[in-house]
Every structure is written in structure tokens, then in C-alpha cells.
Amino acid sequence: MHKKPSVRPSRPAAKSGAKPGFSPRAAQSKSVQVKSTASDGNVRQYSVKEPQELLSFLLTTLNQGRNAVKAILARGQVAVNGKAVTAYNYPLQTGHTVTINKEKIVEDIPLAGMAILHEDEDVIVVHKDAGLLTIATNPEEKEITAYRQLTAHVRHHNPKARVFVVHRLDRDTSGVLLFAKTEEAQQRLQTTWQDSVKERTYVALVEGLVKKPEGTVSSWLKEHPKSLKMYSTPYPNDGQHAVTHYKTLQANKSFSLLEVQLETGRKNQIRVHMQDIGHPIVGDKKYGSRTKEIGRMGLHARVLAFVHPATGEEMRFETPVPKSFLRPFQEPGTKN
């Protein structure tokens, strides 16, 4: 059994209002029960012991004038449970942690078409939506890519930080994608890829009923020099060896939902192999699809498990099957 990754937990949301009977003035007049839990010279953390508004809490805690405290709030130097807060009347609840930073707190920039699943000093694991490029093929292109957004993300916190591509997902493929944050981590992952990656599982929605419930496709892949389209060559050892395993999860006479595991990771491997067995991926016009059943290509990188390049820990990330992939198998009138 794969070990679950230590994904950073999401912070609990603040309650929308204070407790019944709560009076900001009453709270301000009480002795505030706070405890400094950390200090590195620039940062101090306090545990909230009773409900009250943020400004009242800060006035009592900091022992500074009202205007000075408001300025600290306005500059984004106060965070509640790790999230910067500037509202004077933010309702604190018992157990909240208030962090006061002498320097301005840097908030993460928003990401478009992707979400971070895990981040540490060496790697970033993200969930990429269909339609987002992993990295631009032409360095001069200004299109938003996963690589460009993550570079901005890490440099938002450290101007010298960098991001390194480890592997790619096609633009129209969604799912788990891994980047490195150091050149050493990238090289270790790429040079030991076959050993470091313990599981790489996709789900594919393909056209037609796949009669054989499970099977393996093996071929030698080459790229056409003009069209740049990959294809299986009839000649052994001519190109890159590619092996794809599949099994059927659901099927009807029009579509099949397959679980696909890669033994090798070649460019467009699944797309070519599905075409080879006569069941192209839905929406994949480049490799023979004639349907647009779900408005996107029916390929999703569901699971990625790998050995962490620095710690040696095995990490596993799994994402759900997109709901649109299940739609062709639902009874008429059934909602997702």
C-alpha cells in the first residue's frame, strides 16, 4: 500500500459572526488571555482564548495607539490562522492563532487552471485542468502555462527561486503533474524516472465498446517529421518502445471508460495506443476521434506515486475521475 503524502492541510474557515451576546466593548475591557507561542524577532504568534473582534484584540495585545495598530492591519502584517486579514472587525474565535509580522505578509498569487496539491523545498505537485499548457513550446509565447504560473508563485516569496519541469501533460489532459524546485531534484527524478515513479495511472474515455476487458499494448513509437504526430512503427526497435496496460471500468455500446497504467512514458503514448486498438480517446481529433461527447479530450492523469528525490519517502497523489467522463454511462434524466 502506498504511503499517503503529507499534503498541507487547509486552514479552518472563520465563523461568519461572533457568539450570541458578544460585545466588542465588553471584550476590550476584559483582560485578554493570550499566549505568545513563537518568536523569531520579526514574527509573534498568539493563541486567542475568548471571542472578540480583531482590532480590540490587537489594541490590548500590542499596547500601541489605535492609529498605529490600524496601520499594521492596513499593511497586511496581521494574519489569522495563516491568512492575512485587514478588517478591523474580523471576528476572532477561541483557538484562532493570530500572527503579527514586523514585515508585510506576502499572500499567494491566484493560480488559473491549476491547484497546488503539495509543496515543499524540493517539489511542487499540482492538479492541472484541461486546456492549460504545461510549458510553452516557444519561449517567446506569452500564453499562460503551468510552468509560468508556478515560477511566479515561488518568486513571489523568493525572487531567486526557480521551477523545473520533470514531466508533462498534454494541454487537453487534466490531472496530477510534478515539478521540481531545484535542479538537483529535477535531475534525480528524471534520471531515475523508471525507478522513482511507482504508479502512474490515467483514466481514458474512449469511443466504442472495448470487447477485451483488459489488455496490454506494446509498440515502437516515432514522430512524423512534418506533422509532429506520433505513430506506431511496424518495425521492431525502430523508435521508442512504449507499453500501455488497460482495463475496463465501465462500458456501453458507444463508449468505454478505461483505467490505463503506463509502463513507459512516451509522448502521446496513450493517445496513439488507443487509436491502435481501434478506440480513440473521445475528443482527440488528432488521433482519430469523431466525437465531442464531453467538450474536451477524455484523458485524465488520476494517480501519481513517486519516491521523493530528497527524503526517499514514497508519496502518492490521487484525484477523482472528472464527472464528465461518467456522463455517457448515466441513465437519461440522471444528474451528476
Side-chain angles (χ1 to χ4, degrees):
M1 180 177 289
H2 295 290
K3 189 173 181 179
K4 291 280 185 182
S6 54
V7 179
R8 294 175 300 176
S10 59
R11 301 286 185 181
K15 295 180 181 179
S16 58
K19 289 184 178 180
F22 166 61
S23 166
R25 276 191 193 183
Q28 189 170 349
S29 64
K30 293 179 182 178
S31 94
V32 181
Q33 300 175 34
V34 297
K35 178 183 178 183
S36 176
T37 58
S39 175
D40 64 1
N42 286 330
V43 180
R44 294 182 69 85
Q45 289 184 346
Y46 299 89
S47 178
V48 178
K49 298 301 182 183
E50 59 185 21
Q52 59 189 291
E53 291 187 345
L54 181 57
L55 181 59
S56 301
F57 177 88
L58 293 175
L59 287 169
T60 306
T61 303
L62 298 178
N63 196 26
Q64 295 185 27
R66 195 176 189 87
N67 289 337
V69 171
K70 285 185 175 181
I72 291 172
L73 270 169
R75 288 195 296 266
Q77 293 173 239
V78 178
V80 178
N81 287 350
K83 183 177 180 180
V85 175
T86 58
Y88 302 162
N89 62 347
Y90 187 90
L92 296 177
Q93 304 294 335
T94 302
H96 280 176
T97 298
V98 176
T99 303
I100 302 171
N101 198 327
K102 287 185 178 180
E103 299 177 355
K104 184 176 179 180
I105 294 174
V106 179
E107 289 190 277
D108 282 340
I109 59 175
L111 300 173
M114 61 188 294
I116 295 175
L117 302 177
H118 172 83
E119 180 178 5
D120 57 40
E121 294 181 354
D122 303 283
V123 298
I124 302 181
V125 183
V126 304
H127 177 280
K128 183 187 85 68
D129 293 345
L132 179 68
L133 274 175
T134 299
I135 188 172
T137 52
N138 184 347
E140 296 180 359
E141 291 180 4
K142 299 300 181 183
E143 185 173 359
I144 293 176
T145 64
Y147 171 79
R148 182 168 290 160
Q149 290 188 80
L150 289 178
T151 297
H153 162 76
V154 299
R155 287 181 178 172
H156 196 55
H157 298 269
N158 176 5
K160 296 182 179 180
R162 297 178 64 189
V163 170
F164 301 84
V165 175
V166 175
H167 69 119
R168 304 184 187 196
L169 293 179
D170 294 333
R171 179 200 290 269
D172 295 321
T173 300
S174 57
V176 186
L177 183 59
L178 170 65
F179 290 85
K181 290 178 67 176
T182 68
E183 195 167 6
E184 181 182 0
Q186 179 202 38
Q187 292 177 352
R188 181 180 292 272
L189 285 165
Q190 289 185 333
T191 56
T192 64
W193 188 251
Q194 291 298 114
D195 295 323
S196 292
V197 175
K198 298 303 181 182
E199 183 182 353
R200 199 173 174 194
T201 303
Y202 290 70
V203 284
L205 179 65
V206 303
E207 296 180 358
L209 174 61
V210 179
K211 295 182 179 178
K212 193 176 180 181
E214 58 183 85
T216 297
V217 186
S218 177
S219 72
W220 300 86
L221 298 184
K222 292 186 72 175
E223 186 174 48
H224 193 282
K226 292 185 178 180
S227 68
L228 302 182
K229 181 179 176 180
M230 302 298 293
Y231 65 96
S232 290
T233 173
Y235 306 107
N237 300 309
D238 182 24
Q240 294 182 312
H241 191 216
V243 180
T244 303
H245 306 283
Y246 73 87
K247 68 177 181 179
T248 303
L249 300 176
Q250 293 189 58
N252 55 33
K253 64 180 181 179
S254 301
F255 302 99
S256 298
L257 185 66
L258 308 179
E259 179 183 275
V260 181
Q261 290 194 323
L262 295 181
E263 192 171 309
T264 57
R266 311 303 185 194
K267 180 181 177 182
N268 295 170
Q269 175 177 326
I270 299 174
R271 298 167 66 182
V272 175
H273 280 172
M274 293 301 99
Q275 183 184 41
D276 286 348
I277 65 172
H279 297 280
I281 295 173
V282 166
D284 190 7
K285 184 179 179 181
K286 184 176 182 180
Y287 290 99
S289 173
R290 297 181 179 180
T291 62
K292 298 180 180 179
E293 180 70 16
I294 60 174
R296 56 160 288 191
M297 189 167 72
L299 187 59
H300 175 75
R302 186 180 185 186
V303 178
L304 179 65
F306 62 93
V307 176
H308 192 284
T311 67
E313 177 187 7
E314 188 170 313
M315 310 186 78
R316 185 178 190 274
F317 298 88
E318 180 171 353
T319 56
V321 178
K323 291 182 178 180
S324 61
F325 285 31
L326 305 174
R327 198 181 303 142
F329 308 102
Q330 293 177 340
E331 295 294 328
T334 303
K335 294 184 179 180
N336 286 335

